[in-house]
Amino acid sequence: MRVGVLTGGGDCPGLNAVIRAAVRKGVQDYGYSFTGFRDGWRGPLAGDIVPLDIPAVRGILPRGGTILGSSRTNPLKAENGIRRIKENLTKYEVDALIAIGGEDTLGVAARLSDEYGVPCVGVPKTIDNDLSATDYTFGFDTAVNIATEAIDRLHTTAESHMRVLVVEVMGRHAGWIALHSGLAGGANVILIPEQRFDVQQVCGWVESRFKVRYAPIVVVAEGATPKGGEMVLKDGSLDSFGHVRLSGVGEWLAKEIERRTGKEARTTVLGHVQRGGTPSAFDRWLATRFGLHAIEAVRDEAYGVMVSLRGTDVVRVPLADATAKLKTVDPKLYAEAGVFFG
Ligand code: F6P
């Protein structure tokens, strides 16, 4: 048995831990061989492979990024994409494929598996934690820790200058990073994509914070949208899955706050810092378990499934379910945080 492995979409701390665990268990327990595909779906599409064995995965557990490289290549849009993937899997004698990715990468795996008979097992990843078929995705905990540390640091500089500091975090459709890091970091305003925000109300919270002689920290998810306005975009460009590139709401909001309150407001955009560097202990643990369970699914020939965390158990769910529904922040959860606003 030869197993192909690829990592697609935005990188995420913990990807290497999945690869390591799958290879270690596959080689040691089942005598499998492995082939790595470079840069997500571009690898099987172009036949770009990399050797993958136990020496190749030594020492990678704490390393961020992915030793296989990643891309947002969409093979369903490439000319003869499916045929080329099938030919390359045959050429390199790959019997099963483990696809590690988010909504887009797993969406392709689901179609390849269900419609075209390619034996795929999915492993969910995204720092956004917005896949409903799993309780948590690895990468999220690391991103929240990084954002929380940034908020802690911004509190002291905001107070020294009595400025408003706006922190823009990732979160395209879901405000999980904003909500968790905002609560953990003691933010005075948290804005998420799920609920449009009222700029005047934000300014009210900012002013009430100044009244008690503290400087406000506003955490805003990149996908958060003002009431009566549009999502703020850097430029109009799209990736190959058709997603518009975000970031910009933090800058926009700081300007609005300054204009309406007369208080100095600055923005910190955390951007890819949230996705880089070493994974947290939780993410290493989760990613390692996902890797172990993915190889067990291959052994059981349970294709068309994704491994998923339910409570403390790792279970299998249909790949099609993995991408069917986005996991967004429940309004009740968001309302809980409201006691700290202002
Ligand atoms: O999906 C994960 C994510 O980190 C989003 O939060 C963000 O909008 C996007 O990736 C950014 O992707 P890229 O690095 O390709 O611009």
Side-chain angles (χ1 to χ4, degrees):
M1 163 74 86
R2 177 170 288 278
V3 184
V5 183
L6 66 85
T7 52
D11 71 324
C12 180
L15 288 169
N16 287 326
V18 180
I19 300 167
R20 167 182 173 268
V23 171
R24 282 283 290 274
K25 190 169 175 70
V27 173
Q28 283 172 209
D29 288 5
Y30 306 130
Y32 293 167
S33 308
F34 286 81
T35 294
F37 285 103
R38 275 207 180 90
D39 306 338
W41 289 112
R42 196 191 67 76
L45 201 56
D48 194 352
I49 60 165
V50 48
L52 201 55
D53 51 14
I54 289 185
V57 299
R58 282 209 200 288
I60 66 171
L61 173 64
R63 270 178 58 196
T66 160
I67 57 164
L68 297 177
S70 193
S71 76
R72 294 194 189 272
T73 302
N74 184 351
L76 303 176
K77 283 198 180 154
E79 213 182 315
N80 300 319
I82 309 290
R83 204 190 72 208
R84 282 157 63 197
I85 288 181
K86 284 188 154 188
E87 281 171 4
N88 282 323
L89 294 182
T90 306
K91 179 174 169 191
Y92 294 109
E93 298 175 330
V94 171
D95 306 298
L97 200 52
I98 296 180
I100 312 167
E103 201 194 341
D104 299 326
T105 306
L106 297 181
V108 172
R111 287 198 58 193
L112 283 179
S113 182
D114 298 350
E115 292 174 34
Y116 302 100
V118 178
C120 292
V121 169
V123 176
K125 71 87 227 181
T126 164
I127 65 162
D128 294 353
N129 199 37
D130 59 359
L131 295 180
S132 64
T134 181
D135 287 353
Y136 281 98
T137 46
F138 61 86
F140 171 65
D141 183 65
T142 306
V144 168
N145 283 325
I146 292 167
T148 303
E149 195 199 330
I151 296 166
D152 284 349
R153 289 174 184 278
L154 291 168
H155 271 295
T156 59
T157 171
E159 279 158 25
S160 304
H161 293 267
M162 278 305 184
R163 282 175 179 148
V164 185
L165 286 184
V166 176
V167 191
E168 184 187 293
V169 298
M170 281 186 171
R172 180 177 280 278
H173 306 294
W176 295 109
I177 298 176
L179 182 64
H180 283 225
S181 66
L183 273 181
N188 312 109
V189 181
I190 301 170
L191 305 173
I192 60 173
E194 291 85 342
Q195 297 206 13
R196 284 178 172 256
F197 63 88
D198 176 348
V199 186
Q200 207 44 49
Q201 187 178 40
V202 171
C203 291
W205 286 323
V206 159
E207 278 168 336
S208 74
R209 185 72 180 165
F210 277 120
K211 280 198 190 111
V212 292
R213 303 189 59 75
Y214 276 102
I217 302 284
V218 177
V219 175
V220 58
E222 62 184 353
T225 311
K227 275 186 185 154
E230 295 293 311
M231 196 183 262
V232 183
L233 308 173
K234 198 172 234 158
D235 53 44
S237 58
L238 302 178
D239 66 23
S240 72
F241 282 89
H243 302 305
V244 75
R245 293 199 166 92
L246 298 183
S247 183
V249 67
E251 273 299 327
W252 177 86
L253 185 60
K255 282 199 188 104
E256 275 304 304
I257 293 173
E258 237 178 42
R259 192 173 67 78
R260 295 181 190 217
T261 66
K263 301 285 187 193
E264 186 183 5
R266 302 281 186 93
T267 303
T268 301
V269 180
L270 293 182
H272 294 94
V273 169
Q274 293 158 99
R275 292 211 318 230
T278 191
S280 67
F282 177 84
D283 284 339
R284 294 180 200 189
W285 170 84
L286 180 58
T288 297
R289 292 193 67 208
F290 276 172
L292 299 175
H293 282 261
I295 208 70
E296 280 186 353
V298 170
R299 183 208 49 191
D300 294 345
E301 296 182 20
Y303 300 124
V305 302
M306 177 189 95
V307 293
S308 139
L309 186 70
R310 285 296 183 216
T312 53
D313 291 335
V314 178
V315 299
R316 295 172 192 166
V317 297
L319 257 174
D321 290 0
T323 54
K325 203 166 151 260
L326 212 62
K327 182 173 64 190
T328 51
V329 173
D330 184 323
K332 275 192 251 144
L333 261 186
Y334 182 61
E336 274 179 17
V339 70
F340 301 107
F341 292 3

